[in-house]
Amino acid sequence: MNRNRFFHFLVHLVLITSIVIIAFPVFYAFIVSTQSFQDVFVYPPKFTPGTDTIQNYVAAWKTVKMGRLLFNSAFISVAVAVGKIALSLMAAFAFTYFGDFRGKGLFFVIILITHMLPLPIRIVPTFELMRNFHWVDTYYALTIPFFASATGVLLFRQLFLTVPGSLCDAARVDGITPMGFLMRILVPLSKTNISALFLIEFLYMWNQYLWPLVITNRDEMRVVQIGIKMLLAGQAQAADWNIIMAGTILAMLPPLIILFVMQSSLVKGFSMQEEK
Amino acid sequence: MQSRFPGRLLPYLLLSPSVVIVIVFLIIPSIQSLYYSFFRVSPFGDRLVYVAFDNFIKLLNPDYLNSFIVTLVFTGAIVVIGLAVCLALALVANQKVAGIGLYRTALIWPYALSPAVAGTIWALVFDPSTGAFSYFISLVSGTMPNWRTNGTFAVVVITLAAMWKMVGYNVIFFLAGLQTIPRELIEASEIDGAGALTRFLKITFPLLSPMTLFLLIMNTLYGFFQVFGLIDVMTEGGPARATEVLVYKLYYDGFISLKTGYASAQSIVLFVFVAGLTLLQFRFAKRWVFYQ
């Protein structure tokens, strides 16, 4: 009994220590975002909140059009997540609920191949393609090339394969159309996976850096990840860490909030994954 | 066997958006990369000179080899040290103690941070004159190496930042893997008197190996492809190319120096690498789905 207690104490101790170590950089970043320029440069560093919180956040907001950048990031992240989910639901439905139509295998391979072609491998020609489409500095360039998702197709296909065939038979007897079956039966059944995928794809898109850097030039079309770099690069010798950190905190808050809100679906979505 | 809908046209309609996007934005540009890798392209893309394998031969120069080694060291550290630490953390977080749900949440949130955010924050904590970590280190050791001028230390700081950002991701998946291990198996071995270490080596670790392989591949891809933002924010490849990983070099040659052909040859090297990893993934762990 005593040994067991000691073990539990040890588990708590290790977990708390790790959590503190992991959280420290973000905690410190937040503290700095509240300090004045003078506070930031005292030695030893101050670990207490300062008095310039509002000024810093206002300065960060104004220096790089933060409102617009946050809107752009949110817009493209939601658009890509929704687009990927819609297209993969449709594709997975085609693969599981229709006979062996011509080209089925080939199409499956084509969609799977996305895994082998991450952006850096095709970035130069894709950039040229965007220029030919006149899509530089547009939301089209920031979203459409990301719409296909092998992950989503595989996820929904696995799920659809576990749906009992009798459900489909019954629905057909009731005269339901294929699209009706997809929308009214399969989509509600996939709710947990849809939210898990939404979370994953939202974070994936929100955190994109290289493609937005290459494909946007105008300040109005930049995303918040590039905004951080613009804050950093605007500095001369001594960095205004307080203002940079205010911008960084603003950039990390939306995805963190979404993660906390949707966390349970993430875990459920993943554990459904492992059962098969 | 799935029950089926009749319909000849509908499956094609359903698949066409995905297939068109993959072909237009993924497959054709990739083939063009291969094509360009045999040409010298003028900066505005209006003239192409066939140079056979010259671009690939140029890959043997010291700058590219340096990028290759930096990438391998950096990714190797993320995979070996990062995964070991995260597995240990997940094993602890898999214990049944009070408040474990809260602990898990407090462990996985770095998953939501972007490489650029991680880079900025670590640039602050390691800032040579004001950073908190710089201060702690100088308290302990008396000196503080400056990662803005010291290449080796720059690699260390970048690696720490990159590993830190992956903690949440790795812990989520290790925990998911640990939860699939049947309780009875662990309990049976406890009755047989196996110690904790034996249990881990003989039961937990082997049963966790598909997940470990999955994470190994995902972390390798992360180290190769997703740290661009982190490096651009922190060092821009410096000091003196010490942190110029392959993707950074490709970006620099392709978009700053405008050497399209040379950058394309670099793309092909990366493609060979990803293709190898993907095949490994499909070969050994068919049941795991990729997550970006």
Side-chain angles (χ1 to χ4, degrees), chain A residues 71-128:
Chain A
F71 170 79
N72 288 344
S73 286
F75 178 77
I76 64 168
S77 306
V78 171
V80 166
V82 171
K84 277 190 172 188
I85 290 167
L87 294 200
S88 15
L89 276 168
M90 283 158 60
F93 182 55
F95 284 130
T96 33
Y97 281 91
F98 293 89
D100 285 322
F101 53 88
R102 190 182 279 266
K104 185 178 182 178
L106 178 69
F107 290 146
F108 196 60
V109 171
I110 287 178
I111 289 175
L112 275 193
I113 222 162
T114 50
H115 282 325
M116 291 204 199
L117 307 172
L119 184 73
I121 285 167
R122 55 199 157 85
I123 189 162
V124 176
T126 312
F127 175 76
E128 274 175 30

Side-chain angles (χ1 to χ4, degrees), chain A residues 15 22, chain B residues 82-83 85-91 93-94 103-111 166-179 211 215:
Chain A
L15 286 174
I22 291 167
Chain B
L83 281 185
V85 170
C86 292
L87 175 57
L89 259 181
L91 284 171
N94 196 39
Y103 281 131
R104 283 180 195 161
T105 306
L107 280 176
I108 65 174
W109 62 269
Y111 170 58
M166 275 309 260
V167 167
Y169 186 89
N170 293 336
V171 168
I172 292 174
F173 279 98
F174 270 135
L175 273 174
L178 284 170
Q179 269 152 31
M211 187 54 94
L215 284 176

Side-chain angles (χ1 to χ4, degrees), chain B residues 170-232:
Chain B
N170 293 336
V171 168
I172 292 174
F173 279 98
F174 270 135
L175 273 174
L178 284 170
Q179 269 152 31
T180 61
I181 296 174
R183 282 244 141 246
E184 312 87 69
L185 218 57
I186 307 272
E187 279 158 14
S189 71
E190 271 172 4
I191 293 166
D192 289 346
L197 185 67
T198 323
R199 271 207 313 273
F200 175 74
L201 291 177
K202 295 257 164 79
I203 298 174
T204 312
F205 195 68
L207 285 177
L208 209 57
S209 59
M211 187 54 94
T212 310
L213 177 74
F214 167 79
L215 284 176
L216 201 130
I217 290 172
M218 294 318 286
N219 279 265
T220 309
L221 290 174
Y222 167 76
F224 263 70
F225 291 100
Q226 277 160 40
V227 292
F228 178 85
L230 188 106
I231 286 171
D232 193 44

